[in-house]
Amino acid sequence: MGHNKGFFLTKPEIRPQGGSKPGPEGTEVCERLAYYGISKSLVTYLSTRLHEGNVSAARNFTTWQGTCYLTPLIGATLADSYWGKYRTIAVFSTIYFLGMSALTLSASVPSFQPPQCVGSICPQPTLSQYLLYFVGLYMIALGAGGIKPCVSSFGADQFDDTDPVEKAKKGAFFNWFYFCINIGSLISGTVLIWVQENCGYSIGFGIPTFFIALAIGSFFIGSDIYRFQIPGGSPLTRACQVVVAATHKRKTDLPVDSSLLYELDGKTSAIEGSRKLEHSSEFSFLDKAAVILWNECDGPRNSWRLCTVTQVEELKILLRMFPIWATGIVFFTVCAQNSSMFIEQGMTLDNQIGPFKIPAATLSSLDVISVVVWVPIYERLVVPIARRFSGKERGFSELQRMGIGLFVSTVAVAVAALVEINRLQVAVAEDLVHQKVPVPMSILWQAPQYLLVGVGEVFTSIGQAEFFYNQSPDAMRSLCSAFALVTVSLGSYLSSFILSLVSYFTTRNGQLGWIPDNLNEGHLDRFFWLIAGLSSLNFLVFIYYAQQYKCKIASVA
């Protein structure tokens, strides 16, 4: 593995190959195991153990879940600006472990729980009981904020981009990393939930606590062979400096020769831990920040008046990436249907499969199973076939891969609409329109839409992670990963917003609306077609910006 001076701090005597070392992947697997083990049972725990009402429990769940996808901005900023990824993962993993320990303690010690309900009388928890649980819960949210945006980019840092073999392995790393995440989700959604319901929450919380401790130990074991990227200072400050400098020089003419713009001599970048970036012609107004005025030729440089080309290009990269980032919001709006309207649809179908009854929410695990099955298929079958046609080492570019996933996710929600049309026809044929009962149509009709969403994730989610890592500035990789995670949260918010609009406009003048309490009287199919139409439009917007996108060109350190 190459040793890039000024870009990475490494131990020259050790040459890790292909990122095959303990630590980063295991940390994220265990974090996902713990996260889903808590999130899938959180409402139940709040209702049965802390005696909260349904509305309060649901509100606490959504608030906590939203926090888990916003705290990555904190962890990423610390990693890129001050601590570096390694120290950030170490510190926030410890916070995560302490949070899990607090939850386990809360569920294990009787004095930390309110007494059980007697009939309809349910004693409320004391302030100390309430605080112990929620302090632990939000320590986990904070801990996730340091792990999620850093682990994938830290793992990818272990590969040398100048080595063709290792560069190809880095693409495979993102596939297997996402595979491991979904393995953690699958285990927690099946085994861990069963343990919690049948053996108690003390054991159900204790198991992921143990695995988090194991992951931390594994992570530290590999410390001597990791490659460490030097933090480059505050990305926000650097972006503001470019805007301020360009605005200050707005009346200054740009030189015809871009080589006259300010940049340090040699291979060393002014940004710690970053390679130099070559000048691009887009957003030329920002280039004025790098114009050297006569009074700036001598003396110390004022960073708020004169910026390097690399610093300007950092901001340009973010602006180029923004439309691609925005299309991810609609993609995760489609994914959000897995845990909302797909389940609502499933509750109106016959869930009797042989001798078993399949809860509608359980069928959503097909999404995870689809990911677990498709990652090896993609890596072992799709990539070699695509390589023959495209000539690309990884078969598809990151943008091509994301585009395929966006198309597949659009098909998935269209399939859901077709299933709903068929379901409504069965309701009419069986004279069940005005009865709030499941129709005699198997819930397995939903399987294709869940499986297709999983395929879409394999292409778009993994492609997105790889794209943001490869195309982001070297000193901003954690922050860009965090922004990618924010699209998950924004996708859920957009889904809720669309539902609110649909409810408002379709229930005016006393109408039942598309999504009434009795779905047999509604038109859920129209909602799915609306989402499919929005996803199709999003797909076209993505194609336009993907064709316009110019990849970054970094110097060889």
Side-chain angles (χ1 to χ4, degrees):
M1 186 170 285
H3 308 296
N4 304 325
K5 302 299 183 183
F7 178 38
F8 285 105
L9 292 178
T10 61
K11 293 180 179 288
E13 70 279 9
I14 299 174
R15 295 174 64 84
Q17 295 297 321
S20 56
K21 52 183 75 64
E25 299 92 335
T27 302
E28 179 64 6
V29 170
C30 293
E31 188 274 328
R32 290 291 86 185
L33 183 76
Y35 173 81
Y36 286 112
I38 295 166
S39 65
K40 291 178 184 295
S41 63
L42 181 56
V43 173
T44 303
Y45 187 91
L46 291 174
S47 302
T48 60
R49 292 299 183 92
L50 295 184
H51 306 155
E52 289 196 350
N54 290 335
V55 174
S56 177
R59 183 171 60 246
N60 277 319
F61 169 71
T62 54
T63 302
W64 175 76
Q65 188 178 49
T67 304
C68 287
Y69 281 97
L70 292 178
T71 53
L73 294 174
I74 299 173
T77 300
L78 288 173
D80 284 341
S81 303
Y82 309 108
W83 290 358
K85 301 183 187 76
Y86 174 84
R87 184 183 298 180
T88 302
I89 295 171
V91 171
F92 281 80
S93 294
T94 304
I95 294 172
Y96 203 113
F97 170 74
L98 293 175
M100 283 301 306
S101 299
L103 288 195
T104 304
L105 190 64
S106 174
S108 303
V109 180
S111 61
F112 291 146
Q113 303 173 31
Q116 293 185 352
C117 297
V118 179
S120 60
I121 301 174
C122 297
Q124 293 301 303
T126 64
L127 180 61
S128 59
Q129 292 169 343
Y130 203 77
L131 280 177
L132 178 62
Y133 184 81
F134 276 90
V135 166
L137 197 64
Y138 278 89
M139 285 180 71
I140 290 170
L142 180 60
I147 296 173
K148 291 179 66 62
C150 297
V151 171
S152 61
S153 56
F154 182 72
D157 283 348
Q158 310 309 309
F159 299 85
D160 186 358
D161 277 339
T162 63
D163 186 324
V165 176
E166 288 200 17
K167 187 174 182 179
K169 287 182 178 180
K170 184 175 69 176
F173 163 79
F174 284 103
N175 283 328
W176 294 114
F177 182 82
Y178 200 75
F179 174 84
C180 291
I181 289 175
N182 281 271
I183 286 292
S185 173
L186 185 62
I187 293 173
S188 60
T190 53
V191 177
L192 206 55
I193 295 299
W194 184 90
V195 170
Q196 290 173 353
E197 292 181 353
N198 294 273
C199 302
Y201 285 97
S202 58
I203 298 176
F205 289 161
I207 291 174
T209 303
F210 168 76
F211 277 102
I212 284 290
L214 192 66
I216 294 173
S218 173
F219 179 74
F220 284 126
I221 287 174
S223 298
D224 288 340
I225 56 174
Y226 292 142
R227 303 172 76 219
F228 303 94
Q229 184 170 351
I230 303 170
S234 172
L236 180 60
T237 300
R238 293 199 300 274
C240 289
Q241 286 173 341
V242 172
V243 173
V244 170
T247 303
H248 179 72
K249 298 177 180 178
R250 61 188 179 278
K251 296 181 180 180
T252 304
D253 293 329
L254 286 170
V256 177
D257 186 357
S258 62
S259 65
L260 297 176
L261 296 174
Y262 177 69
E263 183 60 276
L264 294 187
D265 294 330
K267 295 183 178 180
T268 304
S269 171
I271 303 169
E272 193 85 21
S274 178
R275 292 169 293 179
K276 284 185 177 180
L277 296 170
E278 294 189 14
H279 176 264
S280 63
S281 58
E282 294 178 297
F283 308 110
S284 58
F285 170 78
L286 297 176
D287 288 335
K288 295 187 177 184
V291 172
I292 307 172
L293 301 180
W294 65 270
N295 58 348
E296 294 174 331
C297 296
D298 300 315
R301 176 173 69 97
N302 182 348
S303 299
W304 293 90
R305 290 291 182 266
L306 181 62
C307 304
T308 64
V309 169
T310 295
Q311 190 174 342
V312 173
E313 289 301 315
E314 270 194 338
L315 182 54
K316 287 185 180 182
I317 286 174
L318 295 182
L319 293 174
R320 285 200 297 267
M321 290 171 66
F322 178 78
I324 305 296
W325 171 85
T327 58
I329 298 173
V330 177
F331 170 76
F332 284 109
T333 298
V334 173
C335 293
Q337 307 314 310
N338 272 10
S339 55
S340 57
M341 300 317 299
F342 283 6
I343 293 177
E344 294 278 358
Q345 183 187 44
M347 292 170 66
T348 63
L349 295 168
D350 180 12
N351 66 348
Q352 187 75 41
I353 308 296
F356 302 104
K357 281 187 175 293
I358 307 297
T362 301
L363 205 66
S364 64
S365 61
L366 286 176
D367 168 35
V368 178
I369 294 172
S370 178
V371 172
V372 171
V373 171
W374 264 94
V375 165
I377 292 176
Y378 180 88
E379 190 61 38
R380 303 302 184 194
L381 185 62
V382 175
V383 169
I385 293 175
R387 185 187 298 131
R388 294 180 182 178
F389 292 96
S390 67
K392 296 183 174 67
E393 181 61 33
R394 293 298 304 158
F396 302 103
S397 68
E398 295 102 331
L399 291 173
Q400 288 173 335
R401 182 173 183 174
M402 291 168 67
I404 293 171
L406 291 177
F407 175 77
V408 172
S409 66
T410 303
V411 173
V413 75
V415 168
L418 294 174
V419 170
E420 182 62 14
I421 290 174
N422 191 35
R423 191 193 71 80
L424 291 175
Q425 290 174 346
V426 173
V428 171
E430 298 292 331
D431 196 22
L432 299 174
V433 173
H434 300 297
Q435 300 180 49
K436 192 178 179 181
V437 295
V439 303
M441 176 177 167
S442 176
I443 196 173
L444 292 181
W445 279 92
Q446 282 193 303
Q449 64 204 53
Y450 281 112
L451 294 174
L452 284 170
V453 170
V455 175
E457 287 185 38
V458 169
F459 280 88
T460 296
S461 293
I462 303 176
Q464 184 187 58
E466 192 172 356
F467 172 79
F468 279 108
Y469 178 85
N470 288 331
Q471 293 303 314
S472 62
D474 295 331
M476 300 174 68
R477 280 172 168 166
S478 296
L479 191 60
C480 288
S481 296
F483 280 125
L485 292 170
V486 170
T487 60
V488 179
S489 181
L490 294 179
S492 296
Y493 292 148
L494 179 58
S495 178
S496 298
F497 179 68
I498 293 172
L499 277 169
S500 298
L501 289 180
V502 166
S503 176
Y504 174 77
F505 285 107
T506 63
T507 57
R508 291 188 299 178
N509 301 322
Q511 298 295 314
L512 286 173
W514 291 358
I515 313 175
D517 290 338
N518 178 11
L519 289 180
N520 292 342
E521 297 178 324
H523 282 285
L524 183 58
D525 56 317
R526 294 178 183 175
F527 172 78
F528 286 145
W529 285 124
L530 175 63
I531 297 296
L534 181 63
S535 185
S536 299
L537 180 61
N538 184 65
F539 176 62
L540 295 176
V541 171
F542 173 85
I543 290 177
Y544 173 79
Y545 282 104
Q547 290 177 334
Q548 303 296 319
Y549 188 83
K550 295 181 180 179
C551 295
K552 75 172 185 181
I553 303 177
S555 63
V556 179

